[in-house]
Short mmCIF file of all heavy atoms in Angstrom, two decimals:
data_model
loop_
_atom_site.label_atom_id
_atom_site.label_comp_id
_atom_site.label_asym_id
_atom_site.label_seq_id
_atom_site.Cartn_x
_atom_site.Cartn_y
_atom_site.Cartn_z
N ASP A 1191 124.50 47.81 192.85
CA ASP A 1191 125.76 48.48 193.16
C ASP A 1191 126.62 48.67 191.91
O ASP A 1191 127.44 49.58 191.84
CB ASP A 1191 126.52 47.66 194.21
CG ASP A 1191 127.57 48.50 194.91
OD1 ASP A 1191 127.27 49.67 195.20
OD2 ASP A 1191 128.68 47.98 195.17
N ASP A 1192 126.42 47.78 190.92
CA ASP A 1192 127.21 47.86 189.68
C ASP A 1192 126.69 48.91 188.71
O ASP A 1192 127.35 49.24 187.72
CB ASP A 1192 127.22 46.49 188.97
CG ASP A 1192 128.04 45.47 189.76
OD1 ASP A 1192 128.90 45.92 190.55
OD2 ASP A 1192 127.81 44.28 189.58
N ILE A 1193 125.49 49.45 188.96
CA ILE A 1193 124.91 50.45 188.06
C ILE A 1193 125.64 51.78 188.25
O ILE A 1193 125.79 52.26 189.36
CB ILE A 1193 123.41 50.64 188.33
CG1 ILE A 1193 122.68 49.32 188.06
CG2 ILE A 1193 122.83 51.75 187.47
CD1 ILE A 1193 121.21 49.38 188.38
N SER A 1194 126.09 52.37 187.15
CA SER A 1194 126.82 53.63 187.23
C SER A 1194 125.85 54.80 187.34
O SER A 1194 124.65 54.68 187.09
CB SER A 1194 127.68 53.81 185.98
OG SER A 1194 126.85 53.95 184.83
N ILE A 1195 126.39 55.95 187.74
CA ILE A 1195 125.55 57.15 187.86
C ILE A 1195 125.00 57.54 186.50
O ILE A 1195 123.85 58.01 186.38
CB ILE A 1195 126.38 58.31 188.46
CG1 ILE A 1195 126.77 57.95 189.89
CG2 ILE A 1195 125.61 59.62 188.42
CD1 ILE A 1195 127.64 59.00 190.57
N ALA A 1196 125.81 57.33 185.44
CA ALA A 1196 125.34 57.66 184.09
C ALA A 1196 124.12 56.83 183.73
O ALA A 1196 123.15 57.33 183.12
CB ALA A 1196 126.46 57.43 183.07
N GLU A 1197 124.14 55.54 184.12
CA GLU A 1197 123.01 54.66 183.82
C GLU A 1197 121.77 55.10 184.59
O GLU A 1197 120.64 55.00 184.11
CB GLU A 1197 123.37 53.21 184.18
CG GLU A 1197 124.35 52.58 183.21
CD GLU A 1197 124.81 51.21 183.65
OE1 GLU A 1197 125.07 51.03 184.86
OE2 GLU A 1197 124.92 50.31 182.81
N VAL A 1198 121.98 55.58 185.79
CA VAL A 1198 120.86 56.09 186.57
C VAL A 1198 120.23 57.28 185.87
O VAL A 1198 119.00 57.40 185.77
CB VAL A 1198 121.31 56.48 188.00
CG1 VAL A 1198 120.16 57.15 188.76
CG2 VAL A 1198 121.80 55.26 188.76
N MET A 1199 121.08 58.19 185.36
CA MET A 1199 120.59 59.38 184.68
C MET A 1199 119.88 59.01 183.39
O MET A 1199 118.82 59.55 183.06
CB MET A 1199 121.75 60.34 184.41
CG MET A 1199 122.38 60.89 185.69
SD MET A 1199 123.79 61.96 185.36
CE MET A 1199 122.99 63.32 184.51
N LEU A 1200 120.44 58.06 182.63
CA LEU A 1200 119.81 57.62 181.38
C LEU A 1200 118.48 56.95 181.63
O LEU A 1200 117.57 57.02 180.81
CB LEU A 1200 120.76 56.67 180.63
CG LEU A 1200 122.01 57.32 179.99
CD1 LEU A 1200 122.93 56.25 179.44
CD2 LEU A 1200 121.59 58.29 178.86
N ALA A 1201 118.37 56.28 182.75
CA ALA A 1201 117.12 55.60 183.08
C ALA A 1201 116.10 56.58 183.64
O ALA A 1201 114.99 56.19 183.97
CB ALA A 1201 117.38 54.50 184.09
N ASN A 1202 116.51 57.85 183.75
CA ASN A 1202 115.61 58.91 184.23
C ASN A 1202 115.10 58.59 185.63
O ASN A 1202 113.93 58.80 185.96
CB ASN A 1202 114.41 59.08 183.27
CG ASN A 1202 113.71 60.42 183.49
OD1 ASN A 1202 114.31 61.38 183.98
ND2 ASN A 1202 112.43 60.46 183.15
N LYS A 1203 116.01 58.10 186.47
CA LYS A 1203 115.64 57.78 187.85
C LYS A 1203 116.19 58.84 188.78
O LYS A 1203 117.25 59.42 188.54
CB LYS A 1203 116.18 56.41 188.26
CG LYS A 1203 115.57 55.25 187.51
CD LYS A 1203 116.04 53.93 188.04
CE LYS A 1203 115.54 53.69 189.43
NZ LYS A 1203 115.89 52.34 189.94
N GLN A 1204 115.50 59.08 189.86
CA GLN A 1204 115.96 60.01 190.89
C GLN A 1204 117.06 59.34 191.72
O GLN A 1204 117.00 58.14 192.00
CB GLN A 1204 114.80 60.40 191.80
CG GLN A 1204 113.70 61.18 191.09
CD GLN A 1204 114.15 62.56 190.64
OE1 GLN A 1204 115.00 63.17 191.29
NE2 GLN A 1204 113.60 63.03 189.53
N PHE A 1205 118.06 60.13 192.10
CA PHE A 1205 119.12 59.59 192.95
C PHE A 1205 118.54 59.07 194.26
O PHE A 1205 118.99 58.07 194.81
CB PHE A 1205 120.20 60.66 193.23
CG PHE A 1205 121.10 60.90 192.07
CD1 PHE A 1205 120.96 62.06 191.31
CD2 PHE A 1205 122.07 59.98 191.73
CE1 PHE A 1205 121.80 62.29 190.23
CE2 PHE A 1205 122.92 60.21 190.65
CZ PHE A 1205 122.77 61.38 189.88
N SER A 1206 117.52 59.78 194.76
CA SER A 1206 116.92 59.36 196.02
C SER A 1206 116.28 57.98 195.89
O SER A 1206 116.34 57.17 196.81
CB SER A 1206 115.88 60.38 196.48
OG SER A 1206 114.85 60.51 195.50
N ASP A 1207 115.68 57.69 194.73
CA ASP A 1207 115.09 56.38 194.50
C ASP A 1207 116.16 55.30 194.45
O ASP A 1207 116.01 54.22 195.02
CB ASP A 1207 114.29 56.36 193.19
CG ASP A 1207 113.03 57.19 193.28
OD1 ASP A 1207 112.61 57.47 194.42
OD2 ASP A 1207 112.48 57.55 192.24
N PHE A 1208 117.25 55.59 193.76
CA PHE A 1208 118.33 54.62 193.61
C PHE A 1208 118.92 54.25 194.96
O PHE A 1208 119.03 53.07 195.32
CB PHE A 1208 119.41 55.20 192.69
CG PHE A 1208 120.63 54.32 192.56
CD1 PHE A 1208 120.59 53.17 191.78
CD2 PHE A 1208 121.81 54.64 193.22
CE1 PHE A 1208 121.71 52.36 191.65
CE2 PHE A 1208 122.92 53.84 193.10
CZ PHE A 1208 122.87 52.70 192.31
N PHE A 1209 119.29 55.28 195.73
CA PHE A 1209 119.91 55.01 197.02
C PHE A 1209 118.87 54.51 198.03
O PHE A 1209 119.20 53.76 198.95
CB PHE A 1209 120.61 56.26 197.55
CG PHE A 1209 121.85 56.61 196.76
CD1 PHE A 1209 121.87 57.73 195.95
CD2 PHE A 1209 122.98 55.80 196.82
CE1 PHE A 1209 123.01 58.05 195.22
CE2 PHE A 1209 124.11 56.11 196.09
CZ PHE A 1209 124.13 57.23 195.28
N GLY A 1210 117.62 54.92 197.83
CA GLY A 1210 116.56 54.42 198.70
C GLY A 1210 116.37 52.92 198.54
O GLY A 1210 116.16 52.20 199.52
N GLU A 1211 116.44 52.44 197.29
CA GLU A 1211 116.33 51.01 197.04
C GLU A 1211 117.51 50.27 197.65
O GLU A 1211 117.35 49.18 198.22
CB GLU A 1211 116.24 50.74 195.54
CG GLU A 1211 114.92 51.19 194.91
CD GLU A 1211 114.88 50.91 193.42
OE1 GLU A 1211 115.81 50.25 192.92
OE2 GLU A 1211 113.91 51.33 192.77
N ALA A 1212 118.70 50.86 197.55
CA ALA A 1212 119.89 50.22 198.13
C ALA A 1212 119.74 50.11 199.65
O ALA A 1212 120.07 49.09 200.25
CB ALA A 1212 121.14 51.04 197.77
N ASP A 1213 119.22 51.18 200.27
CA ASP A 1213 119.00 51.14 201.73
C ASP A 1213 117.98 50.07 202.09
O ASP A 1213 118.10 49.37 203.10
CB ASP A 1213 118.52 52.51 202.22
CG ASP A 1213 119.63 53.55 202.18
OD1 ASP A 1213 120.81 53.15 202.14
OD2 ASP A 1213 119.30 54.75 202.19
N ALA A 1214 116.94 49.96 201.23
CA ALA A 1214 115.90 48.97 201.50
C ALA A 1214 116.46 47.56 201.42
O ALA A 1214 116.14 46.71 202.25
CB ALA A 1214 114.75 49.13 200.50
N TYR A 1215 117.32 47.32 200.44
CA TYR A 1215 117.94 45.99 200.32
C TYR A 1215 118.81 45.70 201.55
O TYR A 1215 118.82 44.57 202.06
CB TYR A 1215 118.79 45.91 199.05
CG TYR A 1215 118.00 45.59 197.81
CD1 TYR A 1215 117.90 46.51 196.77
CD2 TYR A 1215 117.36 44.36 197.67
CE1 TYR A 1215 117.18 46.20 195.63
CE2 TYR A 1215 116.64 44.05 196.53
CZ TYR A 1215 116.54 44.99 195.50
OH TYR A 1215 115.81 44.70 194.39
N GLN A 1216 119.52 46.69 202.01
CA GLN A 1216 120.35 46.50 203.19
C GLN A 1216 119.51 46.21 204.44
O GLN A 1216 119.88 45.42 205.30
CB GLN A 1216 121.23 47.74 203.42
CG GLN A 1216 122.36 47.88 202.41
CD GLN A 1216 123.20 49.11 202.66
OE1 GLN A 1216 122.68 50.15 203.08
NE2 GLN A 1216 124.49 49.02 202.40
N THR A 1217 118.35 46.86 204.50
CA THR A 1217 117.44 46.63 205.63
C THR A 1217 116.97 45.18 205.68
O THR A 1217 116.98 44.54 206.73
CB THR A 1217 116.21 47.57 205.53
OG1 THR A 1217 116.66 48.92 205.57
CG2 THR A 1217 115.23 47.31 206.68
N VAL A 1218 116.53 44.68 204.51
CA VAL A 1218 116.06 43.30 204.46
C VAL A 1218 117.21 42.32 204.71
O VAL A 1218 117.05 41.31 205.38
CB VAL A 1218 115.39 42.99 203.10
CG1 VAL A 1218 114.98 41.53 203.03
CG2 VAL A 1218 114.17 43.87 202.92
N SER A 1219 118.39 42.65 204.18
CA SER A 1219 119.56 41.79 204.40
C SER A 1219 119.86 41.67 205.89
O SER A 1219 120.11 40.58 206.41
CB SER A 1219 120.77 42.37 203.66
OG SER A 1219 121.94 41.63 203.97
N GLY A 1220 119.80 42.81 206.59
CA GLY A 1220 120.04 42.79 208.02
C GLY A 1220 118.98 41.99 208.75
O GLY A 1220 119.28 41.24 209.68
N ALA A 1221 117.72 42.14 208.33
CA ALA A 1221 116.62 41.40 208.96
C ALA A 1221 116.79 39.90 208.75
O ALA A 1221 116.53 39.09 209.66
CB ALA A 1221 115.28 41.86 208.39
#
């Protein structure tokens, strides 16, 4: 959550991957 959008772009990551990982963490947290 602390990673900025600029860091995501510099890391050459897709926004869908970034938010997909966040959703996955939330899924496991809920479980």
Side-chain angles (χ1 to χ4, degrees):
D1191 199 41
D1192 290 338
I1193 298 176
S1194 66
I1195 294 178
E1197 287 174 319
V1198 174
M1199 295 178 66
L1200 288 173
N1202 197 25
K1203 294 185 67 175
Q1204 295 292 329
F1205 284 105
S1206 60
D1207 290 342
F1208 175 75
F1209 290 110
E1211 290 180 7
D1213 289 341
Y1215 277 116
Q1216 287 180 325
T1217 299
V1218 176
S1219 174

